[in-house]
Amino acid sequence: MAKRKLDGVLLLDKPFGISSTAALNKCRWLLQAEKGGHTGVLDPYATGLLPLCFGEATKFAQRMLDADKGYRAHIRFGEVSTTLDGEGEITVTGVAPASEAEVAAVLAQFMGEIEQTPPMYSALKVDGKALYEYARQGVELERKARPIRIDELTIVSYNAPDLVLDVRCSKGTYIRVLAQDLGNALGCGAYLTGLRRTLTGGFRLEDAVSLDDFIALEMPAREALLLSADQLLSNLPALYLEAEQSAAIRHGMPVRGLPTSERGEVKLYDQGQKPDNARFIGLGEVGADGVLRSKRLLATA
Protein backbone atom coordinates (compact mmCIF):
# COMPACT_ATOMS: atom_id res chain seq x y z
CA MET A 1 0.00 0.00 0.00
CA ALA A 2 1.38 3.41 -0.96
CA LYS A 3 2.30 5.89 1.75
CA ARG A 4 0.05 8.94 2.03
CA LYS A 5 0.51 12.57 2.93
CA LEU A 6 -1.36 12.67 6.19
CA ASP A 7 -1.28 15.49 8.74
CA GLY A 8 -2.35 15.36 12.37
CA VAL A 9 -1.70 14.31 15.95
CA LEU A 10 -2.65 10.96 17.47
CA LEU A 11 -2.94 10.64 21.24
CA LEU A 12 -1.76 7.10 21.90
CA ASP A 13 -1.95 5.22 25.18
CA LYS A 14 1.37 3.38 24.80
CA PRO A 15 1.34 -0.16 26.16
CA PHE A 16 3.97 -1.70 28.41
CA GLY A 17 7.04 -3.28 26.87
CA ILE A 18 7.49 -1.41 23.59
CA SER A 19 9.57 1.65 22.82
CA SER A 20 8.18 4.98 21.69
CA THR A 21 9.79 4.47 18.29
CA ALA A 22 8.19 1.03 17.89
CA ALA A 23 4.79 2.47 18.82
CA LEU A 24 5.24 5.29 16.31
CA ASN A 25 6.28 2.92 13.52
CA LYS A 26 3.28 0.69 14.16
CA CYS A 27 0.81 3.59 14.05
CA ARG A 28 2.50 5.12 11.04
CA TRP A 29 2.12 1.80 9.23
CA LEU A 30 -1.53 1.52 10.28
CA LEU A 31 -2.19 5.00 8.87
CA GLN A 32 0.09 4.50 5.86
CA ALA A 33 1.53 7.93 6.64
CA GLU A 34 4.62 9.18 4.79
CA LYS A 35 6.09 11.06 7.72
CA GLY A 36 5.85 10.67 11.47
CA GLY A 37 7.57 11.52 14.73
CA HIS A 38 6.94 11.13 18.45
CA THR A 39 7.03 13.91 21.00
CA GLY A 40 9.55 12.59 23.48
CA VAL A 41 10.68 9.17 24.64
CA LEU A 42 8.46 7.18 26.98
CA ASP A 43 10.46 4.21 28.29
CA PRO A 44 9.33 0.69 27.33
CA TYR A 45 8.79 0.13 31.08
CA ALA A 46 6.31 3.03 31.20
CA THR A 47 2.82 3.25 29.75
CA GLY A 48 0.46 6.08 28.98
CA LEU A 49 0.13 9.24 26.95
CA LEU A 50 2.35 9.48 23.88
CA PRO A 51 1.31 12.10 21.30
CA LEU A 52 2.40 11.04 17.80
CA CYS A 53 2.78 13.58 15.00
CA PHE A 54 2.26 12.91 11.31
CA GLY A 55 3.04 15.00 8.24
CA GLU A 56 3.06 18.76 8.83
CA ALA A 57 2.33 18.31 12.54
CA THR A 58 5.91 17.06 13.01
CA LYS A 59 7.07 20.66 12.57
CA PHE A 60 5.67 21.44 16.00
CA ALA A 61 6.64 18.23 17.85
CA GLN A 62 9.35 20.10 19.76
CA ARG A 63 6.59 21.88 21.68
CA MET A 64 5.72 18.59 23.36
CA LEU A 65 9.37 17.74 24.03
CA ASP A 66 9.64 20.96 26.03
CA ALA A 67 6.24 20.65 27.74
CA ASP A 68 5.61 19.89 31.40
CA LYS A 69 4.58 16.32 32.16
CA GLY A 70 2.26 14.46 34.52
CA TYR A 71 2.71 10.90 35.81
CA ARG A 72 1.13 8.36 38.13
CA ALA A 73 4.00 6.57 39.84
CA HIS A 74 3.91 3.31 41.80
CA ILE A 75 6.73 3.16 44.34
CA ARG A 76 7.75 0.39 46.75
CA PHE A 77 9.62 1.24 49.94
CA GLY A 78 12.05 -1.02 51.77
CA GLU A 79 13.66 -2.41 48.62
CA VAL A 80 16.04 -1.12 45.94
CA SER A 81 16.66 -2.06 42.32
CA THR A 82 19.85 -1.98 40.27
CA THR A 83 17.92 -0.25 37.48
CA LEU A 84 15.73 1.83 39.87
CA ASP A 85 12.68 0.03 38.47
CA GLY A 86 11.14 -3.46 38.42
CA GLU A 87 13.43 -4.75 35.68
CA GLY A 88 16.55 -4.74 37.83
CA GLU A 89 17.89 -6.97 40.60
CA ILE A 90 15.83 -6.34 43.75
CA THR A 91 17.36 -6.20 47.22
CA VAL A 92 15.52 -5.76 50.53
CA THR A 93 17.06 -2.82 52.38
CA GLY A 94 14.82 -1.73 55.22
CA VAL A 95 11.38 -1.34 56.72
CA ALA A 96 8.81 0.76 54.88
CA PRO A 97 7.30 3.79 56.61
CA ALA A 98 4.42 2.76 58.84
CA SER A 99 2.11 5.65 57.95
CA GLU A 100 1.14 7.91 55.07
CA ALA A 101 2.00 10.88 57.27
CA GLU A 102 5.65 9.80 57.37
CA VAL A 103 5.75 9.71 53.57
CA ALA A 104 3.93 13.04 53.22
CA ALA A 105 6.40 14.69 55.58
CA VAL A 106 9.34 14.19 53.20
CA LEU A 107 7.56 15.14 49.96
CA ALA A 108 7.92 18.87 50.58
CA GLN A 109 11.71 18.73 50.22
CA PHE A 110 11.30 17.57 46.60
CA MET A 111 8.93 20.35 45.55
CA GLY A 112 9.91 23.30 43.38
CA GLU A 113 13.28 23.84 41.70
CA ILE A 114 15.64 21.01 42.64
CA GLU A 115 18.61 19.18 41.14
CA GLN A 116 18.51 15.59 40.00
CA THR A 117 21.26 13.26 38.78
CA PRO A 118 20.28 11.23 35.68
CA PRO A 119 20.35 7.45 36.24
CA MET A 120 22.78 5.15 34.48
CA TYR A 121 19.81 3.25 33.05
CA SER A 122 18.60 6.10 30.85
CA ALA A 123 18.70 7.13 27.20
CA LEU A 124 20.87 10.15 27.94
CA LYS A 125 23.88 10.01 25.63
CA VAL A 126 27.57 10.38 26.44
CA ASP A 127 29.98 10.38 23.48
CA GLY A 128 27.15 9.28 21.21
CA LYS A 129 26.24 6.26 23.34
CA ALA A 130 23.22 5.91 25.64
CA LEU A 131 24.01 5.61 29.36
CA TYR A 132 22.08 2.33 29.59
CA GLU A 133 24.54 0.80 27.09
CA TYR A 134 27.42 1.60 29.44
CA ALA A 135 25.40 0.29 32.39
CA ARG A 136 24.76 -3.05 30.68
CA GLN A 137 28.53 -3.40 30.25
CA GLY A 138 29.04 -2.81 33.97
CA VAL A 139 30.47 0.68 33.42
CA GLU A 140 29.28 3.55 35.60
CA LEU A 141 30.02 7.10 34.45
CA GLU A 142 30.01 10.29 36.45
CA ARG A 143 26.83 12.27 35.76
CA LYS A 144 26.23 15.90 36.58
CA ALA A 145 23.12 16.89 38.49
CA ARG A 146 20.68 18.92 36.40
CA PRO A 147 18.00 21.42 37.42
CA ILE A 148 14.39 20.22 37.21
CA ARG A 149 11.11 21.45 38.64
CA ILE A 150 8.42 19.51 40.48
CA ASP A 151 5.09 21.31 40.77
CA GLU A 152 2.90 18.66 42.38
CA LEU A 153 3.34 15.53 44.50
CA THR A 154 -0.03 14.14 45.54
CA ILE A 155 -0.45 10.88 47.43
CA VAL A 156 -3.19 8.81 45.78
CA SER A 157 -2.83 5.91 48.22
CA TYR A 158 -0.35 4.36 50.62
CA ASN A 159 -0.61 0.74 51.69
CA ALA A 160 2.81 -0.05 53.14
CA PRO A 161 5.16 -0.70 51.44
CA ASP A 162 3.44 0.57 48.25
CA LEU A 163 2.86 4.22 47.40
CA VAL A 164 0.82 5.57 44.49
CA LEU A 165 1.87 9.14 43.73
CA ASP A 166 0.71 11.71 41.18
CA VAL A 167 3.56 13.89 39.89
CA ARG A 168 3.50 17.10 37.86
CA CYS A 169 6.97 18.13 36.72
CA SER A 170 9.17 19.78 34.12
CA LYS A 171 10.71 17.99 31.17
CA GLY A 172 13.84 16.01 31.97
CA THR A 173 12.54 14.72 35.32
CA TYR A 174 13.35 11.07 36.03
CA ILE A 175 10.59 9.53 38.15
CA ARG A 176 12.80 6.51 38.88
CA VAL A 177 15.34 8.83 40.48
CA LEU A 178 12.57 10.57 42.42
CA ALA A 179 11.51 7.17 43.80
CA GLN A 180 15.10 6.38 44.79
CA ASP A 181 15.55 9.78 46.41
CA LEU A 182 12.31 9.43 48.38
CA GLY A 183 13.51 6.07 49.68
CA ASN A 184 16.86 7.54 50.66
CA ALA A 185 15.17 10.45 52.45
CA LEU A 186 13.08 7.98 54.45
CA GLY A 187 16.11 5.79 55.17
CA CYS A 188 14.60 2.60 53.78
CA GLY A 189 15.29 2.64 50.06
CA ALA A 190 12.70 2.52 47.27
CA TYR A 191 12.23 1.73 43.61
CA LEU A 192 9.66 2.37 40.89
CA THR A 193 7.27 -0.53 40.30
CA GLY A 194 5.13 1.14 37.65
CA LEU A 195 4.82 4.40 35.73
CA ARG A 196 2.02 5.86 33.65
CA ARG A 197 2.17 9.23 31.88
CA THR A 198 -1.09 11.10 32.37
CA LEU A 199 -0.34 14.56 30.97
CA THR A 200 1.93 16.27 28.49
CA GLY A 201 1.43 19.86 27.48
CA GLY A 202 -2.32 20.37 27.15
CA PHE A 203 -3.09 16.73 26.37
CA ARG A 204 -4.62 14.19 28.79
CA LEU A 205 -4.47 10.42 28.98
CA GLU A 206 -8.28 10.20 29.11
CA ASP A 207 -8.38 11.37 25.49
CA ALA A 208 -5.88 8.77 24.21
CA VAL A 209 -6.60 5.54 22.35
CA SER A 210 -4.96 2.22 23.19
CA LEU A 211 -2.81 0.55 20.55
CA ASP A 212 -5.06 -2.52 20.50
CA ASP A 213 -8.17 -0.38 19.93
CA PHE A 214 -6.41 1.60 17.22
CA ILE A 215 -5.39 -1.59 15.42
CA ALA A 216 -9.01 -2.83 15.51
CA LEU A 217 -10.36 0.28 13.74
CA GLU A 218 -10.97 0.67 10.03
CA MET A 219 -8.93 3.35 8.24
CA PRO A 220 -11.63 6.09 8.27
CA ALA A 221 -12.07 5.67 12.02
CA ARG A 222 -8.31 5.82 12.57
CA GLU A 223 -8.09 9.06 10.59
CA ALA A 224 -11.00 10.51 12.55
CA LEU A 225 -8.93 10.28 15.74
CA LEU A 226 -6.24 12.60 14.38
CA LEU A 227 -6.19 16.06 15.92
CA SER A 228 -5.18 19.08 13.87
CA ALA A 229 -1.59 20.32 14.09
CA ASP A 230 -2.60 23.54 15.85
CA GLN A 231 -3.59 21.46 18.91
CA LEU A 232 0.16 21.27 19.62
CA LEU A 233 0.10 25.05 20.13
CA SER A 234 -2.98 25.17 22.34
CA ASN A 235 -1.25 27.34 24.94
CA LEU A 236 -0.66 30.16 22.44
CA PRO A 237 -3.04 32.99 21.47
CA ALA A 238 -4.55 32.91 17.97
CA LEU A 239 -4.08 35.65 15.40
CA TYR A 240 -6.45 35.83 12.43
CA LEU A 241 -5.00 37.40 9.31
CA GLU A 242 -6.69 39.17 6.44
CA ALA A 243 -6.05 37.77 2.96
CA GLU A 244 -3.23 40.23 2.15
CA GLN A 245 -1.56 39.71 5.52
CA SER A 246 -1.80 35.94 5.14
CA ALA A 247 -0.25 36.09 1.67
CA ALA A 248 2.58 38.29 2.93
CA ILE A 249 3.48 36.04 5.86
CA ARG A 250 3.43 32.96 3.62
CA HIS A 251 6.01 34.67 1.40
CA GLY A 252 8.29 35.42 4.32
CA MET A 253 7.41 39.10 4.58
CA PRO A 254 6.85 40.90 7.91
CA VAL A 255 3.35 42.18 8.62
CA ARG A 256 2.77 45.55 10.29
CA GLY A 257 -0.31 47.34 11.52
CA LEU A 258 -1.84 44.34 13.29
CA PRO A 259 -5.06 44.95 15.27
CA THR A 260 -3.66 43.25 18.38
CA SER A 261 -1.61 44.03 21.48
CA GLU A 262 -0.24 40.47 21.60
CA ARG A 263 3.51 40.04 21.80
CA GLY A 264 5.49 36.83 21.46
CA GLU A 265 4.52 33.60 19.74
CA VAL A 266 1.08 33.25 18.16
CA LYS A 267 -0.89 30.68 16.17
CA LEU A 268 -1.61 32.05 12.72
CA TYR A 269 -4.87 31.60 10.82
CA ASP A 270 -6.04 33.12 7.57
CA GLN A 271 -9.53 34.29 6.49
CA GLY A 272 -9.67 37.40 8.64
CA GLN A 273 -12.30 37.66 11.35
CA LYS A 274 -14.02 34.35 10.57
CA PRO A 275 -12.47 32.00 13.12
CA ASP A 276 -15.07 29.28 12.50
CA ASN A 277 -13.83 28.97 8.92
CA ALA A 278 -10.22 30.00 9.48
CA ARG A 279 -7.36 27.80 8.31
CA PHE A 280 -4.28 27.22 10.45
CA ILE A 281 -1.14 28.25 8.58
CA GLY A 282 1.60 28.03 11.21
CA LEU A 283 3.54 29.66 14.00
CA GLY A 284 4.51 33.32 14.07
CA GLU A 285 5.94 35.83 16.50
CA VAL A 286 4.97 39.41 17.18
CA GLY A 287 8.03 41.42 18.20
CA ALA A 288 8.25 44.27 20.67
CA ASP A 289 7.84 46.57 17.67
CA GLY A 290 4.42 45.06 16.95
CA VAL A 291 5.63 43.47 13.69
CA LEU A 292 4.60 39.90 12.89
CA ARG A 293 7.19 37.52 11.45
CA SER A 294 6.81 33.85 10.56
CA LYS A 295 8.60 31.15 12.53
CA ARG A 296 7.28 27.83 11.20
CA LEU A 297 4.64 27.55 8.50
CA LEU A 298 2.79 24.61 7.05
CA ALA A 299 3.95 23.64 3.57
CA THR A 300 0.31 23.73 2.49
CA ALA A 301 -0.25 27.22 3.90
Side-chain angles (χ1 to χ4, degrees):
M1 189 181 297
K3 297 292 185 181
R4 304 178 299 153
K5 290 184 178 180
L6 190 70
D7 303 323
V9 181
L10 176 68
L11 302 184
L12 181 70
D13 182 351
K14 188 190 82 66
F16 179 88
I18 69 170
S19 69
S20 298
T21 299
L24 167 65
N25 290 339
K26 181 67 174 179
C27 291
R28 183 182 170 194
W29 179 82
L30 289 166
L31 288 165
Q32 291 300 304
E34 280 187 352
K35 184 179 181 181
H38 59 65
T39 56
V41 173
L42 190 59
D43 288 347
Y45 182 80
T47 67
L49 182 59
L50 181 66
L52 302 176
C53 297
F54 300 96
E56 291 292 279
T58 59
K59 291 182 175 180
F60 309 104
Q62 184 65 40
R63 313 294 296 197
M64 289 296 101
L65 291 172
D66 295 336
D68 291 348
K69 306 291 191 293
Y71 298 94
R72 176 156 290 185
H74 294 254
I75 298 169
R76 176 161 297 168
F77 292 111
E79 300 176 4
V80 296
S81 165
T82 53
T83 59
L84 311 189
D85 59 29
E87 298 196 318
E89 182 180 335
I90 309 300
T91 304
V92 176
T93 57
V95 178
S99 70
E100 182 177 311
E102 289 180 69
V103 177
V106 304
L107 293 181
Q109 64 188 271
F110 295 97
M111 291 289 293
E113 301 280 348
I114 63 173
E115 289 201 336
Q116 189 182 71
T117 302
M120 277 302 300
Y121 280 89
S122 69
L124 189 65
K125 291 189 176 182
V126 174
D127 296 330
K129 189 175 176 181
L131 282 176
Y132 66 77
E133 295 183 65
Y134 291 101
R136 288 169 180 168
Q137 296 170 356
V139 177
E140 180 157 352
L141 302 179
E142 183 179 355
R143 288 98 65 206
K144 291 184 179 179
R146 304 189 303 180
I148 61 162
R149 189 188 73 255
I150 296 181
D151 298 317
E152 178 185 312
L153 292 172
T154 302
I155 295 176
V156 177
S157 66
Y158 181 59
N159 297 299
D162 295 315
L163 170 70
V164 180
L165 186 69
D166 278 347
V167 184
R168 292 285 298 273
C169 57
S170 66
K171 69 169 185 176
T173 301
Y174 290 96
I175 308 301
R176 285 175 294 160
V177 174
L178 175 64
Q180 178 191 52
D181 291 346
L182 282 172
N184 290 341
L186 286 161
C188 62
Y191 74 96
L192 190 69
T193 59
L195 184 65
R196 189 154 173 77
R197 186 192 282 165
T198 56
L199 298 166
T200 180
F203 298 129
R204 305 178 307 166
L205 178 59
E206 302 94 279
D207 300 319
V209 62
S210 73
L211 183 57
D212 284 344
D213 286 347
F214 193 64
I215 291 170
L217 295 174
E218 298 294 332
M219 185 65 80
R222 291 173 188 161
E223 292 181 13
L225 289 176
L226 295 181
L227 306 176
S228 58
D230 59 342
Q231 295 284 333
L232 295 167
L233 308 176
S234 60
N235 63 317
L236 297 180
L239 185 58
Y240 297 95
L241 303 177
E242 300 291 349
E244 289 186 3
Q245 295 171 328
S246 178
I249 207 71
R250 290 198 306 269
H251 287 88
M253 298 171 61
V255 175
R256 296 175 172 81
L258 296 169
T260 179
S261 60
E262 293 287 355
R263 296 294 183 267
E265 292 184 326
V266 290
K267 296 178 291 187
L268 300 177
Y269 297 84
D270 66 6
Q271 295 191 11
Q273 303 302 313
K274 299 178 182 177
D276 290 341
N277 298 315
R279 182 168 60 101
F280 176 60
I281 61 173
L283 175 66
E285 185 168 19
V286 182
D289 56 1
V291 176
L292 171 67
R293 296 172 176 84
S294 64
K295 290 193 71 175
R296 203 74 192 266
L297 301 181
L298 301 183
T300 53

